[in-house]
Amino acid sequence: MTRILTLIIAIAVVCSALPVSNITFAKENIEVVETPKASEPSGRYENKKVVSLSTKTKNAHIYYTLDGTLPNKNSNKYKENKPLIITKTTNLSVIAMKKGVSSKPATFSYIIKTKEKPLLQFVAMSDVHVGSHEMGDARYESFFDTIASIFPKPDAILSVGDMINDNGNDKPNDHKIVKEIFQDNLKRKNMTDTKIQMAIGNHDSTVAKMQEHYPAEWFTNQKNGYYETQIGGYYFFFLNGNNYNSDTAQRNWLKSRLAEIKSDPKNSNKPIFVNVHQPISNTVMDGQQASNPNLNIDLKDYPQVITLSGHSHLNTNDDRSIYQKDFTSLNLGSMSYIESDHGYQAVTEAGLAGRFEFPVSQALFIEVYKNRVEVERVALNADPGDVYEGGKWSAEPKPPFNSAGITTGEKWVIELKGETIEEIKSNFKYTAANRNKVAPQYKRNSKVKVENLDAVPNLTFLQAKDDQMVHHYEVKVTKEKNGFVVENLKVFSNYMFSPIPDNMNIPLEGLDGQTNYKVEVTAVDSYGNKSSSIQEAFKTGGTPPENNAN
């Protein structure tokens, strides 16, 4: 039975290790329901795309969402031979169900572009952190497959620091492994004309070790590791962010070269890409884990500059990963694991954990057009994974990744129109003044439920919606009798995984037995905009505590 569906998205078949939904996956002695298949692979396409979906399981129904969240039986039901026409980039998540049993979900991502040809295409990544062929070979085969599905012949791949994980010069020769992995995949994907350019990071040992292990054209012979190159006629600068702030020679070199470039009128609207491993103070992600404030001074008269940085591992799902004031700053996420803000908890198989590290890999896919730059945020892996403890992931996704190539948010468009500094800056839209002010919203009549009352109560509710993303939930539990707050949690929405869970299931640990409580839940986006709250009263089971007068 063929099922047709027109959509825009990147492939991801996900079996979540986390409690993401109230649907039932296939088990022993129950008919296995096959995950829906797509007729076309994920990737970059021009104009709309029609995709056929089918499942091998007879009489199974396909459900889908267009926002990347996990479908359930209340989601849109696919109608046979009635295609959906999708005209913009979208993450489509699908699932098949039969008699209450669900397949594993899948996400398909199609990046939809017009027929206008870009003047330059390149991939920018950071924080590779490879230490062996065992940890790098299979992952980077998958990563390069995804790169090729979006940019079959990219002009360049940039790796902006921390190719290895050297802490105190104990593994400096791991650079040789990174070189071999990249060379093998460039050859495998026939990217013969793709340039590789690297910047030094704080975990890359020394400039000398990078020069020893990489081809000269990938890096530089300059003794402090900073350099300039051109790719497709555009200027690219690679800085040593480990000492830029105090390195007068490096600063003077950069300022001099930028002034020379700017003096030519033909460069007034031409992007200049400045790559530095550490993010610049007071720019992306509100300056978290940033440094080198002197770059703000040195770049302030160059609104055509676009800086690319990593280091923090902070994710690209968050729109704070782009920042414009005097120039544009972009956060690259990380190719090894991403982080979210500290101070929150996440749901794991073991319960709630104070967690900010997630085994997700991200990069930016950048296209230069006349008077604008378009940036697609892409997860090369967004499979659900669990907590990092004792130096190991308890559930680390391994290829084949079921989420390869999904977009992590709407594309960013950087316009470089105008002749003067102020004219160009007037087109900046990712500024502090323009920060998002739209609060998340629950669906009408949304309710919370508290179940499993005789053991550890489980709070469950459908996720709220937001124009960008729900970052976390504030969960407040109070005793009904005296209003005493016994729990005040901030729990990630798990927005970094694909599909994003449709339900939140949050264990409420440490409550007294036979006690009346009230729980209140508020959805919050990454800018602090809050939804109205939903709440529920409940009474725990089990054994009452001593002297409980409730």
Side-chain angles (χ1 to χ4, degrees):
M1 183 183 299
T2 301
R3 305 177 186 267
I4 301 176
L5 202 53
T6 301
L7 300 136
I8 318 168
I9 301 151
I11 292 179
V13 179
V14 179
C15 180
S16 175
L18 306 177
V20 297
S21 179
N22 55 1
I23 56 181
T24 303
F25 294 117
K27 298 179 180 179
E28 290 184 21
N29 302 320
I30 299 177
E31 180 182 6
V32 174
V33 181
E34 294 291 333
T35 300
K37 303 288 185 182
S39 61
E40 306 232 19
S42 301
R44 181 190 187 277
Y45 294 93
E46 295 178 353
N47 295 324
K48 66 184 181 183
K49 194 67 182 172
V50 177
V51 179
S52 299
L53 292 177
S54 62
T55 175
K56 294 181 180 179
T57 303
K58 292 183 178 180
N59 300 318
H61 299 291
I62 295 175
Y63 296 88
Y64 66 90
T65 63
L66 300 177
D67 58 3
T69 57
L70 181 67
N72 57 42
K73 63 182 179 181
N74 296 317
S75 302
N76 296 313
K77 186 177 181 180
Y78 172 70
K79 296 180 181 179
E80 185 178 359
N81 297 323
K82 188 175 181 180
L84 301 177
I85 310 301
I86 307 296
T87 58
K88 64 178 183 178
T89 299
T90 307
N91 284 337
L92 163 72
S93 292
V94 299
I95 206 162
M97 298 186 71
K98 182 178 179 180
K99 296 181 180 179
V101 177
S102 171
S103 71
K104 296 176 182 178
T107 302
F108 305 91
S109 188
Y110 300 91
I111 296 173
I112 304 302
K113 298 284 189 176
T114 66
K115 291 184 178 180
E116 181 183 3
K117 300 302 180 186
L119 304 173
L120 186 73
Q121 287 182 324
F122 64 95
V123 181
M125 62 178 65
S126 185
D127 298 274
V128 169
H129 287 296
V130 164
S132 68
H133 280 286
E134 182 180 2
M135 69 180 288
D137 285 356
R139 288 170 58 85
Y140 274 83
E141 280 192 17
S142 172
F143 293 163
F144 270 79
D145 287 346
T146 297
I147 289 170
S149 73
I150 300 172
F151 292 167
K153 304 286 183 183
D155 294 292
I157 297 174
L158 314 182
S159 186
V160 188
D162 280 6
M163 275 65 71
I164 65 172
N165 196 32
D166 182 270
N167 296 300
N169 295 321
D170 57 337
K171 299 198 297 184
N173 295 322
D174 285 355
H175 282 297
K176 179 182 177 183
I177 299 169
V178 178
K179 178 193 70 174
E180 292 169 350
I181 290 172
F182 274 62
Q183 286 179 329
D184 288 348
N185 281 288
L186 288 169
K187 181 178 180 180
R188 184 175 65 86
K189 303 307 293 186
N190 196 28
M191 295 179 181
T192 53
D193 295 324
T194 297
K195 297 185 72 173
I196 301 293
Q197 301 295 160
M198 293 180 163
I200 190 169
N202 58 298
H203 287 289
D204 283 323
S205 185
T206 63
V207 171
K209 277 297 178 181
M210 287 189 64
Q211 291 169 340
E212 176 184 342
H213 289 299
Y214 293 118
E217 61 270 22
W218 288 20
F219 191 48
T220 178
N221 290 323
Q222 198 275 340
K223 65 179 182 180
N224 194 25
Y226 57 83
Y227 66 103
E228 170 191 350
T229 190
Q230 288 195 38
I231 303 172
Y234 291 86
Y235 294 98
F236 284 75
F237 291 87
F238 294 82
L239 307 181
N240 185 341
N242 298 329
N243 60 17
Y244 181 88
N245 219 52
S246 59
D247 183 1
T248 302
Q250 185 176 185
R251 290 186 65 194
N252 288 340
W253 163 78
L254 179 63
K255 289 187 289 185
S256 174
R257 285 297 298 128
L258 290 176
E260 290 175 16
I261 293 168
K262 185 180 178 180
S263 67
D264 188 339
K266 71 180 182 182
N267 293 323
S268 61
N269 304 116
K270 200 170 181 180
I272 301 169
F273 297 96
V274 176
N275 299 267
V276 57
H277 180 62
Q278 292 86 347
I280 303 168
S281 300
N282 302 313
T283 60
V284 290
M285 299 297 285
D286 298 333
Q288 296 179 63
Q289 302 184 42
S291 61
N292 292 315
N294 280 335
L295 270 167
N296 277 310
I297 299 170
D298 298 344
L299 300 177
K300 67 181 179 63
D301 294 328
Y302 303 97
Q304 65 270 63
V305 161
I306 299 173
T307 68
L308 307 171
S309 62
H311 179 63
S312 67
H313 293 231
L314 289 165
N315 62 83
T316 64
N317 307 74
D318 196 320
D319 264 63
R320 291 176 295 167
S321 280
I322 182 171
Y323 180 83
Q324 293 180 307
K325 184 182 178 185
D326 296 316
F327 52 92
T328 301
S329 296
L330 302 178
N331 166 44
L332 301 177
S334 166
M335 291 294 286
S336 51
Y337 65 88
I338 59 110
E339 294 185 12
S340 288
D341 319 54
H342 295 200
Y344 298 85
Q345 292 177 290
V347 180
T348 74
E349 287 191 316
L352 282 179
R355 166 190 179 193
F356 57 88
E357 298 167 314
F358 304 90
V360 171
S361 303
Q362 298 178 339
L364 299 185
F365 286 67
I366 300 173
E367 294 180 303
V368 179
Y369 297 86
K370 184 179 180 180
N371 292 335
R372 76 183 191 280
V373 175
E374 295 188 359
V375 182
E376 298 286 355
R377 298 174 270 171
V378 176
L380 295 96
N381 155 45
D383 287 11
D386 225 323
V387 180
Y388 185 74
E389 291 181 328
K392 294 183 179 180
W393 297 100
S394 59
E396 181 180 15
K398 291 180 173 58
F401 298 120
N402 297 320
S403 57
I406 69 159
T407 56
T408 63
E410 291 188 4
K411 72 179 177 184
W412 296 322
V413 180
I414 303 161
E415 294 185 277
L416 298 175
K417 301 175 182 178
E419 299 301 322
T420 67
I421 291 175
E422 291 308 316
E423 284 176 350
I424 297 173
K425 286 170 61 176
S426 69
N427 294 297
F428 285 0
K429 54 187 175 183
Y430 305 100
T431 63
N434 290 335
R435 283 196 157 184
N436 184 286
K437 297 178 176 63
V438 179
Q441 290 185 335
Y442 291 102
K443 287 185 177 180
R444 190 175 181 180
N445 299 322
S446 287
K447 296 180 179 180
V448 295
K449 296 180 180 179
V450 183
E451 302 169 328
N452 197 37
L453 295 171
D454 290 329
V456 176
N458 182 64
L459 171 66
T460 181
F461 55 91
L462 284 174
Q463 293 230 48
K465 301 294 183 182
D466 188 65
D467 62 326
Q468 292 181 357
M469 70 176 198
V470 176
H471 182 270
H472 68 277
Y473 292 92
E474 293 181 349
V475 179
K476 184 169 70 173
V477 181
T478 57
K479 284 191 174 182
E480 192 173 80
K481 181 178 180 180
N482 54 21
F484 182 76
V485 178
V486 296
E487 293 281 7
N488 218 341
L489 309 172
K490 291 183 178 181
V491 183
F492 282 126
S493 68
N494 286 338
Y495 61 83
M496 65 292 296
F497 296 135
S498 178
I500 301 169
D502 56 333
N503 267 26
M504 289 297 296
N505 291 279
I506 302 173
L508 301 177
E509 300 171 338
L511 301 186
D512 293 336
Q514 296 295 320
T515 303
N516 292 306
Y517 290 98
K518 182 178 78 172
V519 62
E520 184 177 346
V521 184
T522 307
V524 188
D525 69 13
S526 59
Y527 294 101
N529 300 307
K530 296 184 180 183
S531 71
S532 56
S533 299
I534 53 177
Q535 51 191 307
E536 179 71 12
F538 66 97
K539 183 178 181 179
T540 55
T543 304
E546 294 183 11
N547 302 319
N548 184 9
N550 194 35

